[in-house]
Structures are given as structure tokens and as C-alpha cells.
Coordinates of all heavy atoms in Angstrom, one line a residue:
T1 N 0.8 -1.2 0.0 CA 0.0 0.0 0.0 C 0.9 1.3 0.0 O 0.6 2.2 -0.7 CB -0.9 0.0 1.2 OG1 -1.7 -1.2 1.2 CG2 -1.8 1.2 1.2
R2 N 2.0 1.2 0.7 CA 2.9 2.4 0.8 C 3.5 2.7 -0.6 O 3.6 3.8 -1.0 CB 4.0 2.2 1.8 CG 4.9 3.3 1.9 CD 6.1 3.0 2.9 NE 7.0 4.1 3.0 CZ 7.9 4.4 2.1 NH1 8.1 3.6 1.1 NH2 8.7 5.5 2.2
L3 N 3.9 1.6 -1.3 CA 4.5 1.8 -2.6 C 3.5 2.4 -3.6 O 3.8 3.3 -4.3 CB 5.0 0.5 -3.1 CG 5.7 0.5 -4.5 CD1 6.8 1.5 -4.5 CD2 6.2 -0.9 -4.9
I4 N 2.2 1.9 -3.5 CA 1.2 2.4 -4.4 C 1.0 3.9 -4.1 O 0.8 4.7 -5.0 CB -0.1 1.6 -4.3 CG1 0.1 0.2 -4.8 CG2 -1.2 2.3 -5.0 CD1 0.5 0.1 -6.3
S5 N 0.9 4.2 -2.8 CA 0.7 5.6 -2.5 C 1.8 6.5 -3.0 O 1.6 7.6 -3.4 CB 0.6 5.7 -0.9 OG 0.5 7.0 -0.5
L6 N 3.1 6.0 -2.9 CA 4.2 6.7 -3.3 C 4.2 6.9 -4.8 O 4.5 8.0 -5.3 CB 5.5 6.0 -2.9 CG 6.8 6.6 -3.3 CD1 6.9 8.0 -2.9 CD2 8.0 5.8 -2.8
L7 N 3.8 5.9 -5.5 CA 3.7 6.0 -7.0 C 2.7 7.0 -7.4 O 2.9 7.9 -8.3 CB 3.3 4.6 -7.6 CG 4.4 3.6 -7.7 CD1 3.8 2.2 -7.9 CD2 5.4 4.0 -8.9
H8 N 1.5 7.1 -6.7 CA 0.5 8.1 -7.0 C 1.1 9.5 -6.8 O 0.9 10.4 -7.6 CB -0.7 7.9 -6.1 CG -1.7 6.9 -6.6 ND1 -2.7 7.3 -7.4 CD2 -1.9 5.6 -6.3 CE1 -3.4 6.2 -7.7 NE2 -2.9 5.2 -7.1
N9 N 1.8 9.6 -5.6 CA 2.4 10.9 -5.3 C 3.4 11.4 -6.3 O 3.3 12.5 -6.8 CB 3.2 10.7 -3.9 CG 3.5 12.0 -3.3 OD1 3.5 13.1 -3.9 ND2 3.9 12.0 -2.0
I10 N 4.3 10.5 -6.8 CA 5.2 10.9 -7.8 C 4.5 11.2 -9.1 O 4.7 12.3 -9.7 CB 6.3 9.8 -8.0 CG1 7.1 9.6 -6.8 CG2 7.2 10.2 -9.2 CD1 8.0 8.4 -6.8
F11 N 3.7 10.3 -9.5 CA 3.1 10.5 -10.9 C 2.2 11.7 -10.9 O 2.2 12.4 -11.9 CB 2.3 9.2 -11.2 CG 1.9 9.2 -12.7 CD1 2.8 8.8 -13.6 CD2 0.6 9.5 -13.1 CE1 2.5 8.8 -15.0 CE2 0.3 9.5 -14.4 CZ 1.2 9.2 -15.4
L12 N 1.4 11.9 -9.9 CA 0.5 13.1 -10.0 C 1.3 14.4 -9.9 O 0.9 15.4 -10.5 CB -0.5 13.0 -8.8 CG -1.6 12.0 -9.0 CD1 -2.5 11.9 -7.8 CD2 -2.5 12.2 -10.2
N13 N 2.3 14.4 -9.1 CA 3.1 15.6 -9.0 C 3.8 16.0 -10.3 O 4.0 17.1 -10.6 CB 4.1 15.5 -7.9 CG 3.5 15.9 -6.5 OD1 3.0 17.1 -6.4 ND2 3.4 15.0 -5.6
I14 N 4.3 14.9 -11.1 CA 5.0 15.3 -12.3 C 4.0 15.6 -13.4 O 4.4 16.1 -14.5 CB 5.9 14.1 -12.7 CG1 5.2 12.8 -13.1 CG2 7.0 13.9 -11.7 CD1 6.1 11.7 -13.6
H15 N 2.7 15.3 -13.2 CA 1.7 15.6 -14.3 C 0.7 16.6 -13.8 O -0.3 16.8 -14.6 CB 1.1 14.3 -14.7 CG 1.9 13.4 -15.6 ND1 2.2 13.8 -16.9 CD2 2.6 12.3 -15.4 CE1 3.0 12.9 -17.5 NE2 3.2 12.0 -16.6
G16 N 0.9 17.2 -12.7 CA -0.2 18.1 -12.2 C 0.0 19.5 -12.7 O 0.1 20.5 -12.0
F17 N 0.1 19.7 -14.1 CA 0.4 21.0 -14.6 C -0.9 21.8 -14.9 O -2.0 21.2 -14.9 CB 1.2 20.9 -15.9 CG 2.4 20.0 -15.9 CD1 2.6 19.0 -16.8 CD2 3.3 20.2 -14.8 CE1 3.7 18.2 -16.7 CE2 4.4 19.4 -14.8 CZ 4.6 18.4 -15.7
N18 N -0.7 23.1 -15.1 CA -1.9 23.9 -15.4 C -1.6 24.9 -16.4 O -0.8 25.8 -16.2 CB -2.3 24.6 -14.1 CG -3.6 25.4 -14.3 OD1 -4.4 25.1 -15.1 ND2 -3.8 26.5 -13.6
G19 N -2.2 24.9 -17.6 CA -1.9 25.8 -18.7 C -0.9 25.4 -19.7 O -0.1 24.5 -19.4
L20 N -0.9 26.0 -20.8 CA 0.1 25.7 -21.9 C 0.8 27.0 -22.3 O 0.1 28.0 -22.6 CB -0.6 25.1 -23.1 CG -1.0 23.6 -22.9 CD1 -1.9 23.2 -24.1 CD2 0.1 22.7 -22.8
P21 N 2.1 27.0 -22.5 CA 3.0 25.9 -22.0 C 3.0 25.8 -20.5 O 2.7 26.8 -19.8 CB 4.4 26.4 -22.6 CG 4.3 27.8 -22.6 CD 2.9 28.2 -22.9
Y22 N 3.2 24.6 -20.1 CA 3.2 24.4 -18.6 C 4.3 25.2 -17.9 O 5.5 25.1 -18.3 CB 3.4 22.9 -18.3 CG 2.4 22.0 -18.9 CD1 2.8 20.8 -19.6 CD2 1.1 22.3 -18.9 CE1 1.8 20.0 -20.2 CE2 0.1 21.4 -19.4 CZ 0.5 20.3 -20.1 OH -0.4 19.5 -20.6
L23 N 4.0 25.9 -16.9 CA 5.0 26.6 -16.1 C 5.2 25.8 -14.8 O 4.4 25.8 -14.0 CB 4.5 28.0 -15.8 CG 4.3 28.9 -17.0 CD1 3.6 30.2 -16.6 CD2 5.6 29.2 -17.7
I24 N 6.3 25.2 -14.7 CA 6.6 24.3 -13.6 C 7.6 25.0 -12.7 O 8.6 25.6 -13.1 CB 7.1 22.9 -14.0 CG1 8.4 23.1 -14.9 CG2 6.0 22.2 -14.8 CD1 9.0 21.7 -15.2
P25 N 7.4 25.0 -11.4 CA 8.4 25.6 -10.5 C 9.6 24.8 -10.3 O 10.7 25.3 -9.9 CB 7.6 25.7 -9.1 CG 6.6 24.6 -9.2 CD 6.3 24.4 -10.7
V26 N 9.6 23.5 -10.4 CA 10.7 22.6 -10.2 C 10.8 21.5 -11.2 O 10.0 21.5 -12.1 CB 10.6 22.0 -8.7 CG1 10.9 23.1 -7.7 CG2 9.3 21.4 -8.5
A27 N 11.7 20.6 -11.0 CA 11.9 19.5 -11.9 C 10.6 18.6 -12.0 O 9.9 18.4 -11.0 CB 13.1 18.7 -11.5
T28 N 10.4 18.1 -13.2 CA 9.3 17.2 -13.3 C 9.7 15.8 -13.0 O 9.5 15.3 -11.9 CB 8.7 17.2 -14.8 OG1 9.8 17.2 -15.7 CG2 7.9 18.4 -15.0
L29 N 10.4 15.1 -13.8 CA 10.9 13.7 -13.5 C 12.3 13.6 -13.9 O 12.7 13.7 -15.1 CB 10.0 12.7 -14.2 CG 10.4 11.2 -13.9 CD1 10.2 10.9 -12.4 CD2 9.5 10.3 -14.7
V30 N 13.2 13.4 -13.0 CA 14.7 13.2 -13.2 C 15.0 11.8 -12.7 O 14.7 11.5 -11.6 CB 15.5 14.3 -12.4 CG1 17.0 14.0 -12.7 CG2 15.1 15.7 -12.9
L31 N 15.6 11.1 -13.6 CA 16.1 9.7 -13.3 C 17.6 9.8 -13.1 O 18.3 10.5 -13.8 CB 15.7 8.7 -14.3 CG 14.2 8.6 -14.7 CD1 14.0 7.7 -15.8 CD2 13.4 8.2 -13.5
T32 N 18.2 8.9 -12.2 CA 19.6 8.8 -12.1 C 20.1 7.7 -13.0 O 19.4 6.8 -13.3 CB 20.0 8.6 -10.6 OG1 19.5 7.3 -10.3 CG2 19.4 9.6 -9.7
K33 N 21.4 7.8 -13.3 CA 22.1 6.8 -14.1 C 22.0 5.5 -13.4 O 21.7 4.4 -14.0 CB 23.5 7.2 -14.4 CG 24.3 6.1 -15.1 CD 25.8 6.6 -15.2 CE 26.7 5.6 -15.9 NZ 28.1 6.0 -16.0
E34 N 22.1 5.5 -12.1 CA 22.1 4.3 -11.3 C 20.7 3.6 -11.4 O 20.6 2.4 -11.4 CB 22.4 4.6 -9.8 CG 22.4 3.3 -8.9 CD 22.7 3.6 -7.5 OE1 22.9 4.8 -7.1 OE2 22.8 2.6 -6.7
S35 N 19.7 4.4 -11.4 CA 18.3 3.8 -11.5 C 18.1 3.1 -12.8 O 17.5 2.0 -12.9 CB 17.3 4.9 -11.3 OG 17.2 5.7 -12.4
I36 N 18.6 3.6 -13.9 CA 18.5 3.0 -15.2 C 19.3 1.7 -15.2 O 18.9 0.7 -15.8 CB 18.9 4.0 -16.3 CG1 18.0 5.2 -16.3 CG2 18.9 3.3 -17.7 CD1 16.6 4.9 -16.6
Q37 N 20.5 1.8 -14.7 CA 21.4 0.6 -14.7 C 20.8 -0.5 -13.9 O 20.9 -1.7 -14.2 CB 22.8 1.0 -14.2 CG 23.6 1.9 -15.1 CD 24.9 2.3 -14.5 OE1 25.0 2.5 -13.3 NE2 25.9 2.6 -15.4
A38 N 20.1 -0.2 -12.8 CA 19.5 -1.2 -11.9 C 18.2 -1.7 -12.4 O 17.8 -2.9 -12.2 CB 19.3 -0.6 -10.5
S39 N 17.4 -0.9 -13.1 CA 16.0 -1.2 -13.4 C 15.7 -1.3 -14.9 O 14.6 -1.7 -15.3 CB 15.1 -0.2 -12.8 OG 15.4 0.0 -11.4

């Protein structure tokens, strides 16, 4: 349940934009090299 909640949190925050072009205050989704190598 915790993992599902976390996934919702990440996914909604990276897609919760408003207006075009989207004006975002911070990074949307940044992956690390280590995460790609592992997953």
C-alpha cells in the first residue's frame, strides 16, 4: 500500500500542470544513471 501511495504521489506531481506551455516551479521527472542501470 505504501508503494502504491508513493507511486501516486510521484506520478500526480509530475503531471499536475496547469496551462500551456506548462509553467513548472521545479523539476518534473529526473532519473539517475544508477536507477537505469538497476532497473
Side-chain angles (χ1 to χ4, degrees):
T1 302
R2 179 184 179 280
L3 179 57
I4 293 299
S5 175
L6 177 54
L7 282 164
H8 274 275
N9 193 346
I10 296 172
F11 193 77
L12 287 177
N13 275 299
I14 64 176
H15 283 288
F17 308 131
N18 184 29
L20 287 170
Y22 301 135
L23 295 173
I24 58 173
V26 289
T28 44
L29 183 60
V30 179
L31 304 176
T32 65
K33 176 182 176 181
E34 182 182 3
S35 73
I36 297 299
Q37 291 175 332
S39 308

